[in-house]
Amino acid sequence: TKRISVDCVMPKENARGFIKILAIPSAKVWIDGKYRGKTPLKKVALKPGEHQVRFVNLTSKVLHKAILKITSGQNPPFIVNQWKE
């Protein structure tokens, strides 16, 4: 028989990921159905995992939807700069 040792790390229940959210031009932002404000959002704290994001362009009122994949700690900025009518 062979002996195998495995180290498992459970994610902390209160772990958070942080992300900066930008839109050009500026937009209103909802994350998982909750209004978060207007861009730029400098430091948004979210649980690790996938989150539904909706942007409404302040100029043209065009809607953009996206899915954010958040990991624990600092995440790269999310930028919306292409709007489809």
Side-chain angles (χ1 to χ4, degrees):
T1 60
K2 290 185 179 182
R3 181 173 234 158
I4 298 174
S5 177
V6 178
D7 289 333
C8 295
V9 178
M10 296 295 290
K12 293 180 181 178
E13 190 174 313
N14 60 354
R16 293 281 185 254
F18 300 94
I19 191 164
K20 179 188 287 189
I21 299 176
L22 306 167
I24 303 167
S26 191
K28 292 182 179 180
V29 180
W30 286 261
I31 301 174
D32 297 329
K34 180 180 177 186
Y35 180 68
R36 293 299 189 110
K38 296 178 187 175
T39 59
L41 298 175
K42 296 184 180 185
K43 191 173 185 181
V44 179
L46 298 168
K47 289 183 179 182
E50 291 188 353
H51 298 274
Q52 301 278 334
V53 184
R54 290 185 318 140
F55 297 86
V56 176
N57 183 307
L58 292 178
T59 305
S60 65
K61 308 300 182 208
V62 172
L63 173 68
H64 177 78
K65 295 179 184 179
I67 295 177
L68 287 179
K69 293 183 182 178
I70 301 296
T71 60
S72 186
Q74 189 65 42
N75 288 266
F78 187 84
I79 303 170
V80 174
N81 61 5
Q82 294 183 3
W83 298 89
K84 295 181 181 179
E85 295 288 334

